[in-house]
Structures are given as structure tokens and as C-alpha cells.
């Protein structure tokens, strides 16, 4: 085993430590041995070091032998040549003199070969650099160019890298110093129209307050708004109902991070006082809701779902929170985000699906999806970078809108990728999604990517003038219902030649995320991350994605956008909403999609006597960028004659013979990385 403390291999050792993501310099002897083995096996140049090591061993043995011989000579007379002992000594001396001569000759040669040794070390250094270039797919430089690159990187690149990192990367989360490189999803095919200032909401009349709180909990935003407007219920009453449900069902679902009781009752009281004064702020006036816990609210923790940040308080108001507050909505809870907005695992557990609590909710907007599905809030705000709304929305059987990129401002929200992150609503219905979108859309002055898109009013769209495609994996009930409603439905296929869609998404998301959490990784905080096969693995890998390769991925993304635009020959299309290729494509292009509940089926392997648990069936309605109103109008039309979205999940009321531990326990399965 080579000694990795030897300066002879220190460079290769450091390279291997960095490639392995070890920031602590190998804290144990076992780790030292493992890394040394990796360095030796990866870089053949390190095998030369063994020669030096064995020469040192030989010299040590010779020195020990010489000492032993000298001591032996002091105590034994060599005059008796016939003595067997003296014969052995003479033979040993002859061997010693021969070996000493060889060693002296070798030492002389070593002194005369100083230049040769320096050349060997130089060759090894070049070999080490070539090993690093191999991982960057750039092993085409000759020796002179490799050394030139190393010199330039040391003298020029590193000082700039460190200066920039000191300027903008000392804080995690990407809340400050956004990139000036912004993504615009606009296809530029239509003349800009003035944005619709407010949608014309349908009026609900003759609505009566249910006697049962359970029935109230599953009413739509429009219905609850009508109860408040007609003063059949107060905002404080609604707030009490939903806070009680949040606290009742959270032990089973693990979907709430923080209850905002004090703030909620204060906002509810203000909403009731305004109404008493004759001031009605609109359909969200006095309506309780929840926020994904990557969205900052002053005086309350914004944990990002992470052990590292679970006590973090960001005394700033997220733009989306400001918009909802100005609309009169009442914040009752900060809801679970998967740790650092990845999947459904967070520092407090793992969020479950109200339709089948044996399952996890999937996706980082786990809390908003589960709480909306369970009637714990009338609506919630989540986010998506790559499936974080579509996956939990589909699993939990709620209606969820991932809007066109840039529709909703992101100031005060933890950032993964500035060209992919989007905020959107989880609701009971497409009509509710429309109402919430209307309240939160618009230009955020501090978000360079946000825009005031000229959406038409979804409630006023004439769907009989639309041509809508359906993919092979579309839910045919949705296709048939829309056809009966007068929509022209045609078979459709989205054609494009880019075959690295999923890889482009991973490169874009992971590099951007690492830029926002550079300090987190460098300080070793990734070692305490809740799921080691998720962000820690992906971000270590992305550390060696070069700027050139990142930009090539963005160029490939541009090619994909052009091809999708040319292929998008319909007004909208219907297809699977959780297919990973579509998730990646939709987010890269900036397409809006609405998740629509389309039915239920029995769970796999139910108990013999049956179960109330169900597997949800959903589909997605996709539209071109800036055409969210089309997707919303089609979903509203479908839900006007179906009731899948109105069904209530069993949560933990499973039936007499369907027993699951409450709260349920399950082994966390390994995460499958999509490459």
C-alpha cells in the first residue's frame, strides 16, 4: 500500500478526493486506503511510485544488516579461519561487499539521473491531469497543451472562480443574485395582446352551508367564497375547521411542517372585518390555504424540508405570498417540501397519499398535494422543476396546474433552476385553479424571468373551435367527453429528433442547483442529507460538468424547443402526465399542463374483504406556452360533466378489515435516477 501522505502522489490524491466528493481529507485510515487504491487504480502513473518505495525498503534492510555485522565483529574473533562460525562470517562479508558495491553504483546512478527523475515526476503529473481530462471527455490534448492548461487554470481561472464564489455563493438557496441569463418560453408566433386584468368568474347562487364540517372541507373555492360573501360562514370559522383537520390527519400523512395559527386567525379576522365594512376582495377573500415550505413567510420557519435548514427563518415575504395576502386569502400552514425540493422525503418523515396511505405521495410538492386531496386545505401552492407538481398531483388525485414558465413570480422562493422553476396551484377543480392563477400571475419586479402573459379568460373560451390531439397514452374517457362537448379530437404525436431530452434536463437542473448550493456541498452538509442517493449523488456528479457542456445542453434544448413548436399543430393535446420523457420535455420547453383526475381503480393486492383505498387515474392536458387558458378551459369542460375530482379519499379510514399501522411504516425504496 502506498503512503498517500508522500508529496510524490499528493496531487493525484487530491484529484481523487475531489472526484469522490470527499471534503474532509479522508477522516479515517480506512478511507485513506480506499482513496489511495482508487487513485492508484485510476491513474497508472502512480504505479511508478512503487519503485521508489521498494528502493527505500532495500536501503533500510541493508543499513540494518550493516549494523548487525558491525556488532557481530566486535564480539567474535576472526583469527580461527576453520571455525564454522567464521566461515559463515567471511561468506556474509563477501556478500555484503558485493551488495554494498551494487548499492553504491546505484546511488551514483541516482545522483547522476536527477534530471531523469524530474522528467519522471513531470510525466506522472501530466498523467494525473490526463486522468482528470478523461472524466471531462477532453483527453485529446498533447502533453504540452495539458501543462499549458494546468498553468493557465492555476494562474488565471482559479482566482476568478474564487472571487465570484465569494461574491455570490456564500448563501445557499439562490434567493439572491439571480443569473442574468433568463429563459423566455415565448414561441413568438402571435402578436402580443394586452393581458386580461381579471377573469370573469362564474356566479354561484342558492348555495347553502352544509351542516357537516366534512362536507364543508371538500367544497370548492368558488363555493366557500360564496358562503363567505353571503355571510353564511366567517373566515374565522373556516380557519378553525381547516386547522383542526390539518392537526387531525397530519400524523397519518406527514404533510405539514408548520401550523401558522396565530397568523391565520389574524388574517381571518381582518377578512371578516373588511367584509363587515362592505369591502369584498374577490373569490379568495377569507379562504384558507397552504404554502409549500420553500416559500418564505416572515417570522415563520422556511425549512426547505431539510435537516440542515430546519430552523431557518427568512424574514422576507415571497412575492406569491404577497399576492395571496392582497387577495384576502388566509395562510393556515407551511406544507411539506421534499428535502431541498427533491421527492417526498423530508427531515420529518415521508409524505403519504391520502387515497392509499400505504403509498408515498411522490414529488417534492408532496405536502400541498396530500393536504388538498385530504380536505385539509381548499387549495395550496406548490412548485415544479421536473415533476414536483405533476407526480404528486396525479398520485393524490387532485387538479393541479403547472403554468407556463414565468407566469408566477418566484422572489422569496428557494431556487433549483432559474430556467425551470415554476409555481402553481393544487385545487379541487380546474375552475379553482383558474381563480388562484388569476390571483398570483403577473410580473414580479424582482424575478427577471417573470412576465405578464396575455392570457384569455378560461371561462370564456369557445372549446368547440379547438382542435385537440390525443396521444396513445391518453385517458380515452377524457377524449370521449370532450368530443361530446363539441371539441374536434384527433390522434396526435409530438415529433422531435432530440434523443437526449432527459439528459438535458438533468444537466440543466443539477448544474443550476449546485450553483445555488455550492457552499452546502463544499462544507460537507450533503453528508446529513435525508436521502443520500438523491441530491448528494447528483450534485457531486455535476461538479465536473464543464461550462462548455452545459451550454451545449442549452443549445440542444433550443433545438428541442424549435422542433416541438413545429410539431405542435393542435391547440392542445391530451396524454400521460407522469411519463418521465414528457415531464422533462414539458419543463424544458415551458409548456403548461393541468393534471386532471379521470377515475379510480382498485389497489394492487387488496385484502380479501376489500378496501376503501384506491389508485387514482389521471391524465394531462398540455397547451403551448402562454396558452394556459386553453388547457384550463378544456379541463373545466370535462369536469362540468364528471365528478372524479369531487371524490373524498379515505385517508386513514380504511375499513374494518384493512389494517395499516397508523401512522404507517414502510421501507424507503431506492431512488431510480432518470438519465
Amino acid at each position: 500500500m502506498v503512503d498517500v501522505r508522500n508529496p510524490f502522489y499528493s496531487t493525484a490524491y487530491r484529484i481523487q478526493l475531489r472526484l469522490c466528493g470527499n471534503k474532509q481529507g479522508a477522516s479515517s485510515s480506512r478511507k485513506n486506503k480506499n482513496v489511495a487504491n482508487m487513485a492508484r487504480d485510476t491513474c497508472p502513473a502512480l504505479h511508478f511510485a512503487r519503485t521508489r518505495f521498494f528502493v527505500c525498503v532495500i536501503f533500510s534492510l541493508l543499513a540494518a544488516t550493516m549494523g548487525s555485522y558491525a556488532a557481530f565483529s566486535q564480539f567474535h574473533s576472526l583469527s580461527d579461519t576453520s571455525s564454522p562460525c567464521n566461515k559463515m562470517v567471511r561468506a556474509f562479508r563477501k556478500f555484503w561487499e558485493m551488495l554494498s558495491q551494487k548499492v553504491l553504483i546505484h546511488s551514483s546512478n541516482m545522483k547522476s539521473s536527477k534530471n531523469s527523475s524530474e522528467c519522471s515526476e513531470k510525466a506522472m503529473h501530466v498523467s494525473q491531469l490526463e486522468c482528470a481530462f478523461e472524466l471531462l471527455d477532453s483527453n485529446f490534448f498533447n502533453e504540452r497543451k495539458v501543462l499549458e492548461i494546468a498553468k493557465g487554470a492555476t494562474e488565471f481561472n482559479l482566482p476568478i472562480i474564487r472571487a465570484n464564489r465569494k461574491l455570490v455563493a456564500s448563501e445557499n438557496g439562490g434567493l439572491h443574485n439571480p443569473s442574468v441569463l433568463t429563459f423566455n418560453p415565448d414561441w413568438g408566433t402571435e402578436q402580443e395582446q394586452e393581458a386580461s386584468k381579471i377573469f370573469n368568474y362564474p356566479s354561484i347562487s342558492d348555495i347553502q352551508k352544509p351542516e357537516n364540517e366534512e362536507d364543508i372541507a371538500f367544497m370548492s373555492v368558488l363555493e366557500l367564497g360564496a358562503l363567505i360573501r353571503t355571510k353564511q360562514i366567517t373566515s374565522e370559522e373556516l380557519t378553525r375547521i381547516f386547522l383542526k383537520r390539518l392537526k387531525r390527519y397530519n400524523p397519518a400523512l406527514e404533510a405539514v411542517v408548520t401550523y401558522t395559527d396565530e397568523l391565520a386567525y389574524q388574517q381571518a379576522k381582518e377578512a371578516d372585518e373588511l367584509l363587515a365594512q362592505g369591502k369584498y376582495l374577490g373569490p379568495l377573500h377569507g379562504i384558507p390555504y397552504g404554502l409549500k415550505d420553500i416559500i418564505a413567510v416572515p417570522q415563520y420557519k422556511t425549512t426547505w424540508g431539510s435537516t440542515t435548514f430546519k430552523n431557518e427563518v427568512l424574514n422576507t415575504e415571497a412575492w406569491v405570498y404577497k399576492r395571496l395576502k392582497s387577495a384576502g386569502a388566509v395562510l393556515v400552514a407551511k406544507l411539506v417540501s421534499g428535502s431541498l425540493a427533491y421527492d417526498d422525503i423530508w427531515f420529518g418523515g415521508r409524505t403519504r397519499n391520502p387515497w392509499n396511505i400505504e403509498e408515498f405521495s411522490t414529488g417534492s410538492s408532496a405536502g400541498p398535494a396530500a393536504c388538498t386531496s385530504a380536505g385539509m386545505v381548499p387549495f395550496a401552492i406548490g412548485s415544479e422543476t421536473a415533476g414536483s407538481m405533476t407526480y404528486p398531483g396525479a398520485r393524490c388525485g387532485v387538479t393541479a396546474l403547472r403554468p407556463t414558465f414565468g407566469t408566477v413570480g418566484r422572489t422569496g422562493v428557494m431556487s433549483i433552476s432559474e430556467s425551470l422553476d415554476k409555481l402553481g396551484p393544487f385545487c379541487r377543480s380546474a375552475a379553482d385553479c383558474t381563480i388562484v392563477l388569476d390571483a398570483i400571475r403577473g410580473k414580479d419586479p424582482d424575478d427577471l424571468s417573470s412576465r405578464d402573459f396575455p392570457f384569455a379568460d378560461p371561462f370564456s373560451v369557445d372549446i368547440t373551435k379547438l382542435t385537440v390531439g390525443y396521444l396513445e397514452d391518453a385517458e380515452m374517457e377524457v377524449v370521449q367527453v370532450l368530443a361530446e362537448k363539441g371539441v374536434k379530437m384527433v390522434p396526435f404525436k409530438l415529433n422531435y429528433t432530440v434523443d437526449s431530452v432527459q439528459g438535458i434536463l438533468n444537466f440543466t437542473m443539477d448544474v443550476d442547483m449546485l450553483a445555488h448550493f455550492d457552499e452546502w456541498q463544499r462544507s460537507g452538509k450533503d453528508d446529513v442529507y435525508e436521502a443520500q442517493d438523491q441530491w448528494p449523488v447528483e450534485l457531486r456528479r455535476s461538479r465536473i460538468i464543464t461550462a462548455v457542456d452545459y451550454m451545449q445542453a442549452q443549445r440542444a434544448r433550443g433545438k428541442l424547443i424549435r422542433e416541438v413548436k413545429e410539431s405542435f399543430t393542435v391547440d392542445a393535446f391530451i396524454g400521460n402526465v407522469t411519463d418521465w420523457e414528457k415531464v422533462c420535455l414539458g419543463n424544458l420547453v415551458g409548456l403548461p399542463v393541468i393534471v386532471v383526475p379521470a377515475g379510480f381503480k382498485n389497489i394492487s393486492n387488496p385484502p380479501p374483504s376489500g378496501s376503501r383505498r384506491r389508485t387514482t387515474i389521471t391524465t394531462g392536458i398540455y397547451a403551448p406556452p402562454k396558452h394556459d387558458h386553453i388547457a384550463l378551459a378544456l379541463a373545466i369542460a370535462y369536469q362540468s360533466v364528471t365528478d372524479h375530482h369531487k371524490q373524498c379519499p379515505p385517508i386513514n379510514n380504511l375499513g374494518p378489515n384493512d389494517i395499516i399501522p397508523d401512522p404507517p411504516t414502510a421501507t424507503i425504496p431506492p431512488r431510480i435516477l432518470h438519465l
Side-chain angles (χ1 to χ4, degrees):
M1 184 67 66
V2 294
D3 182 359
V4 294
R5 293 170 296 181
N6 192 319
F8 189 68
Y9 354 65
S10 60
T11 302
Y13 178 57
R14 288 195 301 271
I15 288 173
Q16 289 305 317
L17 282 180
R18 287 169 183 159
L19 295 181
C20 295
N22 187 331
K23 321 297 183 303
Q24 315 250 331
S27 59
S28 68
S29 59
R30 182 178 180 182
K31 190 175 291 185
N32 277 338
K33 292 177 182 178
N34 290 338
V35 175
N37 280 332
M38 184 180 296
R40 182 195 65 208
D41 295 339
T42 305
C43 291
L46 289 182
H47 290 288
F48 292 118
R50 283 189 275 185
T51 301
R52 190 181 204 190
F53 174 74
F54 288 123
V55 167
C56 292
V57 172
I58 290 171
F59 274 117
S60 298
L61 290 173
L62 289 176
T65 304
M66 185 181 294
S68 299
Y69 172 70
F72 182 83
S73 299
Q74 290 178 7
F75 296 102
H76 294 272
S77 171
L78 300 180
S79 59
D80 185 2
T81 57
S82 62
S83 169
C85 183
N86 284 335
K87 286 181 180 180
M88 182 184 69
V89 170
R90 285 195 300 271
F92 179 80
R93 181 165 56 186
K94 184 176 181 180
F95 169 74
W96 169 254
E97 289 171 351
M98 179 185 68
L99 193 57
S100 297
Q101 186 178 10
K102 293 287 186 181
V103 171
L104 290 172
I105 292 171
H106 183 71
S107 298
S108 177
N109 288 340
M110 287 184 67
K111 291 178 182 178
S112 65
S113 62
K114 182 178 180 181
N115 291 337
S116 177
S117 176
E118 291 176 353
C119 289
S120 296
E121 292 199 15
K122 178 180 176 182
M124 192 194 73
H125 180 57
V126 171
S127 180
Q128 293 164 0
L129 291 171
E130 288 173 345
C131 289
F133 278 107
E134 180 83 29
L135 295 176
L136 304 176
D137 196 26
S138 300
N139 56 332
F140 50 83
F141 294 109
N142 60 30
E143 178 180 320
R144 178 184 63 80
K145 292 178 180 178
V146 166
L147 292 174
E148 175 190 275
I149 292 169
K151 183 175 183 293
T154 301
E155 296 177 356
F156 183 77
N157 295 7
L158 286 178
I160 298 173
I161 290 169
R162 289 166 180 160
N164 291 340
R165 189 166 66 239
K166 183 178 179 181
L167 284 171
V168 300
S170 60
E171 295 181 331
N172 295 299
L175 296 174
H176 308 289
N177 303 304
S179 170
V180 297
L181 303 177
T182 60
F183 171 56
N184 184 355
D186 189 1
W187 286 355
T189 54
E190 298 178 355
Q191 185 176 357
E192 287 291 330
Q193 305 174 18
E194 184 179 353
S196 177
K197 297 301 181 184
I198 191 168
F199 299 151
N200 295 312
Y201 313 122
S203 176
I204 295 182
S205 57
D206 300 328
I207 189 168
Q208 297 296 318
K209 174 187 172 183
E211 294 183 4
N212 190 329
E213 287 187 357
E214 182 85 4
D215 294 333
I216 293 174
F218 284 94
M219 295 179 79
S220 70
V221 166
L222 274 175
E223 292 168 337
L224 292 173
L227 291 180
I228 288 179
R229 189 182 70 251
T230 58
K231 300 182 180 179
Q232 296 183 55
I233 197 169
T234 66
S235 178
E236 286 193 78
E237 288 180 87
L238 276 185
T239 298
R240 179 189 56 80
I241 290 172
F242 285 106
L243 278 169
K244 185 167 72 172
R245 289 184 65 84
L246 284 162
K247 294 173 183 179
R248 176 183 175 185
Y249 291 113
N250 189 54
L253 297 178
E254 298 181 357
V256 181
V257 181
T258 304
Y259 303 100
T260 58
D261 303 54
E262 183 178 350
L263 175 64
Y265 283 117
Q266 176 189 334
Q267 292 181 342
K269 182 179 179 182
E270 291 172 358
D272 291 336
E273 289 174 349
L274 282 174
L275 191 61
Q277 298 168 14
K279 298 177 182 178
Y280 182 64
L281 300 178
L284 295 184
H285 187 122
I287 304 296
Y289 74 100
L291 288 176
K292 183 177 180 178
D293 199 30
I294 63 170
I295 302 171
V297 176
Q299 301 177 18
Y300 285 92
K301 292 178 182 178
T302 301
T303 71
W304 303 341
S306 166
T307 298
T308 304
F309 303 100
K310 67 180 181 180
N311 295 315
E312 180 177 61
V313 176
L314 301 173
N315 286 316
T316 184
E317 282 190 324
W319 191 82
V320 67
Y321 170 65
K322 289 181 182 178
R323 297 286 287 184
L324 289 168
K325 187 167 66 170
S326 67
V330 175
L331 178 65
V332 291
K334 301 289 292 296
L335 307 178
V336 163
S337 166
S339 185
L340 301 185
Y342 193 129
D343 210 36
D344 52 18
I345 303 171
W346 60 294
F347 69 84
R350 193 170 188 185
T351 304
R352 306 220 168 231
N353 172 16
W355 279 102
N356 181 3
I357 61 171
E358 191 175 26
E359 294 181 335
F360 302 112
S361 60
T362 80
S364 71
S365 295
C371 288
T372 304
S373 173
M376 294 156 72
V377 289
F379 76 93
I381 303 299
S383 71
E384 170 151 330
T385 306
S388 289
M389 291 190 68
T390 51
Y391 278 116
R395 174 65 64 87
C396 297
V398 296
T399 307
L401 174 68
R402 182 190 76 201
T404 297
F405 175 84
T407 300
V408 183
R410 303 165 303 180
T411 298
V413 181
M414 190 206 94
S415 177
I416 292 179
S417 171
E418 286 153 341
S419 71
L420 293 171
D421 297 343
K422 296 160 289 292
L423 299 175
F426 290 87
C427 299
R428 304 251 188 279
S429 67
D432 285 359
C433 284
T434 303
I435 291 167
V436 177
L437 178 69
D438 199 22
I440 62 177
R441 67 190 175 105
K443 175 64 180 173
D444 173 359
D446 296 317
D447 180 354
L448 300 178
S449 296
S450 75
R451 288 169 173 78
D452 197 2
F453 291 125
F455 295 137
D457 183 353
F459 295 112
S460 303
V461 172
D462 184 355
I463 62 171
T464 63
K465 295 181 179 180
L466 300 177
T467 299
V468 176
Y470 58 92
L471 306 182
E472 291 181 351
D473 58 9
E475 285 299 323
M476 292 309 296
E477 182 196 276
V478 180
V479 175
Q480 293 165 3
V481 167
L482 290 177
E484 292 169 0
K485 297 282 286 184
V487 180
K488 182 180 179 181
M489 305 299 299
V490 296
F492 179 69
K493 183 178 181 181
L494 202 58
N495 296 308
Y496 52 92
T497 64
V498 176
D499 59 1
S500 57
V501 172
Q502 299 175 29
I504 297 169
L505 187 284
N506 275 93
F507 265 37
T508 305
M509 177 176 67
D510 291 351
V511 171
D512 291 355
M513 176 67 175
L514 184 55
H516 299 144
F517 284 87
D518 189 13
E519 188 277 335
W520 177 76
Q521 187 187 73
R522 288 177 182 275
S523 61
K525 295 184 180 74
D526 57 344
D527 290 336
V528 296
Y529 186 79
E530 290 72 13
Q532 284 294 305
D533 60 337
Q534 296 181 0
W535 278 135
V537 170
E538 292 196 33
L539 298 189
R540 289 167 194 156
R541 183 178 66 227
S542 65
R543 178 65 69 176
I544 58 170
I545 297 173
T546 67
V548 171
D549 295 314
Y550 177 85
M551 291 307 300
Q552 301 294 31
Q554 301 317 302
R555 296 177 69 198
R557 180 182 183 181
K559 179 178 175 64
L560 173 67
I561 292 171
R562 291 190 295 274
E563 291 181 350
V564 169
K565 173 186 172 183
E566 292 172 2
S567 180
F568 213 119
T569 55
V570 291
D571 294 303
F573 70 83
I574 299 172
N576 187 300
V577 77
T578 57
D579 173 71
W580 181 242
E581 178 80 2
K582 292 188 189 68
V583 169
C584 293
L585 181 145
N587 280 288
L588 288 171
V589 176
L591 300 180
V593 63
I594 186 166
V595 180
V596 182
F600 302 90
K601 60 183 180 181
N602 291 332
I603 61 171
S604 301
N605 303 315
S609 58
S611 173
R612 295 189 180 116
R613 292 181 285 145
R614 293 289 182 269
T615 296
T616 59
I617 299 172
T618 54
T619 198
I621 302 178
Y622 299 79
K626 303 194 312 180
H627 288 68
D628 305 50
H629 56 285
I630 299 294
L632 286 164
L634 291 166
I636 290 170
Y638 171 73
Q639 291 182 341
S640 69
V641 293
T642 60
D643 64 356
H644 305 306
H645 61 291
K646 296 181 180 180
Q647 303 307 306
C648 305
I651 313 177
N652 56 358
N653 182 20
L654 307 178
N657 299 308
D658 186 5
I659 300 173
I660 293 176
D662 188 10
T665 58
T667 302
I668 295 176
R671 174 74 174 180
I672 299 175
L673 299 178
H674 301 279
L675 302 177

